[in-house]
Amino acid sequence: MLSDRQKEILWAIIEENTKLAEPVSSKALALKRGFNIGAPMIRKEMNQMEKEGYLASPHTSAGRVPTDKAYRLYIQENMSDPTSPRLRGVSGMVGLSQKEAEKVKESLEKNCPDEQSLLKEISRLTSQLSKELSIAGRVGGENTYTFGFSNLMDEPEFSNFSNISQLMHFMDNMDRYFDSLWERFLNDDLRVFIGEENPIKEINEFTLITGKYQLPEGDQGFVSIIGPKRMNYRRNMALVEYISKVINDK
């Protein structure tokens, strides 16, 4: 059980690591975050959290990075409470600015002549706003659309060739993987799989956020975001939820 102070330090590490894509040191936290304790005490708390499985120490750095367990706790404690300041966007809407919400609504309410056009627009828009890889399709069907593969190639995580190989294998078999995924989680409107939680083992170094909606012709559709574990969860979860809401309201 983490103390309130340990949680605040952990949230700060997650948020700094998301922005900088590098390990976070106790000294950096003391300088940037204005905690009322010095670097030695922050380091002591970080050492304890590492022992409990919330932080890891890369061999080449004195800093720490969050583990899958840390991200799961972060989501559970910060993404489920609508009063949390970490959830509120500029407009007061969860995770999205008013301008972004209007862009989603306008793009998805324009005249898409058929289901394929709508799914393609969902995938394109999701990738554009999340800056990650996005996938949209029909649950249990073909015609899956992807955008944003180049977004992932720009991430530091892809300096590892095995990560690229895993992702390519996943994309070659994507329809089969998503059919299997929805067979297991058919009743869930939104799911977040972090790293080793991922039921699709080919992408268990990444995070998968996936949500469902009702297509105009009655079929169920899905939209998914795949990206590094240090992604912006607040923004990406809100984006998937809001896109699903707009489609359901059509």
Side-chain angles (χ1 to χ4, degrees):
M1 188 71 148
L2 298 185
S3 67
D4 289 343
R5 182 165 73 182
Q6 287 173 332
K7 287 178 184 177
E8 285 303 311
I9 292 171
L10 185 59
W11 306 161
I13 291 171
I14 288 172
E15 290 163 7
E16 288 295 317
N17 181 250
T18 297
K19 288 189 293 185
L20 302 175
E22 59 186 33
V24 181
S25 69
S26 56
K27 182 178 180 181
L29 286 183
L31 290 173
K32 290 183 178 180
R33 290 286 178 147
F35 289 107
N36 293 325
I37 54 176
M41 182 57 73
I42 294 175
R43 190 178 309 116
K44 180 180 178 181
E45 298 284 34
M46 289 169 68
N47 287 340
Q48 183 60 37
M49 286 189 283
E50 184 172 3
K51 290 178 183 177
E52 296 184 27
Y54 292 98
L55 295 174
S57 300
H59 295 302
T60 57
S61 171
R64 307 292 203 288
V65 294
T67 62
D68 297 357
K69 183 178 179 180
Y71 286 118
R72 174 52 59 193
L73 184 66
Y74 181 75
I75 290 174
Q76 287 174 343
E77 300 221 355
N78 293 292
M79 304 297 135
S80 59
D81 178 5
T83 66
S84 169
R86 287 187 170 83
L87 275 175
R88 293 197 295 270
V90 174
S91 67
M93 181 174 294
V94 175
L96 296 177
S97 69
Q98 188 65 42
K99 184 176 180 180
E100 289 166 336
E102 289 171 357
K103 180 174 183 176
V104 168
K105 197 170 178 63
E106 180 182 341
S107 296
L108 296 182
E109 289 184 345
K110 70 183 183 182
N111 183 29
C112 292
D114 51 42
E115 184 178 278
Q116 285 71 34
S117 300
L118 177 60
L119 291 172
K120 189 180 291 185
E121 179 63 14
I122 290 169
S123 182
R124 184 199 67 79
L125 182 66
T126 304
S127 175
Q128 184 183 72
L129 291 176
S130 69
K131 303 295 190 294
E132 309 287 6
L133 173 65
S134 73
I135 304 166
R138 186 158 26 100
V139 173
E142 298 179 355
N143 298 325
T144 302
Y145 297 94
T146 65
F147 278 87
F149 188 78
S150 60
N151 291 337
L152 292 191
M153 291 299 100
D154 293 334
E155 301 283 6
E157 286 81 357
F158 282 89
S159 60
N160 184 332
F161 178 77
S162 67
N163 286 351
I164 299 175
S165 178
Q166 278 191 309
L167 186 63
M168 294 299 291
H169 189 273
F170 160 75
M171 295 188 72
D172 286 343
N173 299 276
M174 190 162 46
D175 289 339
R176 176 169 61 85
Y177 286 131
F178 272 99
D179 285 348
S180 174
L181 182 71
W182 288 119
E183 284 175 8
R184 295 174 60 185
F185 302 104
L186 193 60
N187 295 323
D188 298 327
D189 290 331
L190 178 72
R191 286 296 296 249
V192 181
F193 301 101
I194 304 166
E196 292 294 332
E197 299 174 354
N198 210 313
I200 304 174
K201 295 307 178 187
E202 280 73 10
I203 52 173
N204 64 8
E205 289 296 321
F206 309 99
T207 285
L208 167 66
I209 299 175
T210 193
K212 289 189 312 187
Y213 45 81
Q214 201 75 19
L215 287 163
E217 296 180 7
D219 293 322
Q220 281 192 320
F222 72 88
V223 59
S224 300
I225 293 174
I226 296 175
K229 288 185 282 188
R230 57 174 185 84
M231 68 164 57
N232 187 329
Y233 288 92
R234 175 176 69 100
R235 179 183 180 78
N236 290 344
M237 290 170 65
L239 179 60
V240 168
E241 284 189 307
Y242 189 63
I243 285 174
S244 297
K245 180 182 183 302
V246 171
I247 298 300
N248 285 333
D249 290 345
K250 280 175 70 71

